Amino acid sequence: MASDGTDLGSATIQQVESDAPSEGAPATVAVKMSITTSDAGGGQRLSSVSWKDFGAIVGGVEQDAGRASGGPSPQLPDELEPGRTYTGWVTFTAPSVAGKAIWKPSGTAGFRFVLPEPTVPVTTTTSSPVPVVETPQTSEPRAAAPSEVAPAAGDEGAEDPEPVPTPEEESRSSSDDSSPDSSEDE
């Protein structure tokens, strides 16, 4: 009913959804309504429902709604014909801290309703753990063993500039040095 008693029609809020792209960002509110307009013509009936007809209530203070893009389907049409029933969605933006909203069709004081807590999408990332590589600890660096010099390719008969003695040669030469010379004793 309008403030002057005129029958505008009837409306039922069937569902209210609210979501925000991130914490603290304005929420997009979607309101599903079922509306039956009166048979009266002209301005004596409910002839449209728009995001401009809604407002957010924050701390008891009414704030204008913002225009939202998209939303659930079907949307309510821009113009409502007399004596018809419509079901659809209207979307608007509101501060995410708003606990209530108001729908104010023309000629009325408005109708307040509770807003659900906005749903904020949870983003998750998955990553593989980084493998832990333990390096061995050494107390002293190792000395590199001397390497033998190999003959260059094609130098088959080349001699080593300093031949490395084998263990047999080393043992023979040390026993020869320790044996007494028989010629000196005489």
Side-chain angles (χ1 to χ4, degrees):
M1 298 292 236
S3 321
D4 65 3
T6 306
D7 179 18
L8 300 174
S10 64
T12 304
I13 294 177
Q14 295 179 328
Q15 187 175 346
V16 180
E17 296 176 358
S18 179
D19 63 0
S22 62
E23 191 69 35
T28 299
V29 179
V31 180
K32 184 177 184 182
M33 302 178 78
S34 177
I35 298 171
T36 302
T37 60
S38 73
D39 291 329
Q44 300 299 317
R45 64 176 175 79
L46 186 58
S47 60
S48 69
V49 177
S50 166
W51 64 271
K52 295 176 191 174
D53 299 330
F54 291 86
I57 300 173
V58 179
V61 178
E62 185 180 325
Q63 299 180 6
D64 290 336
R67 178 180 219 130
S69 59
S73 292
Q75 295 284 314
L76 284 173
D78 291 337
E79 294 293 320
L80 305 177
E81 300 292 325
R84 304 234 359 232
T85 300
Y86 301 89
T87 300
W89 294 85
V90 178
T91 56
F92 60 93
T93 62
S96 60
V97 294
K100 293 182 180 179
I102 188 167
W103 174 48
K104 292 184 358 180
S106 180
T108 71
F111 304 94
R112 293 176 182 234
F113 57 97
V114 176
L115 292 175
E117 189 71 29
T119 305
V120 178
V122 177
T123 56
T124 59
T125 57
T126 57
S127 63
S128 301
V130 176
V132 177
V133 178
E134 293 185 23
T135 56
Q137 295 190 1
T138 58
S139 55
E140 293 180 26
R142 288 196 220 166
S147 61
E148 293 185 27
V149 178
D155 285 342
E156 293 175 19
E159 282 190 32
D160 279 342
E162 290 182 30
V164 178
T166 63
E168 287 178 9
E169 291 173 341
E170 207 171 282
S171 131
R172 243 185 281 142
S173 67
S174 63
S175 64
D176 289 345
D177 294 339
S178 63
S179 65
D181 190 7
S182 54
S183 60
E184 288 179 17
D185 286 341
E186 288 183 7

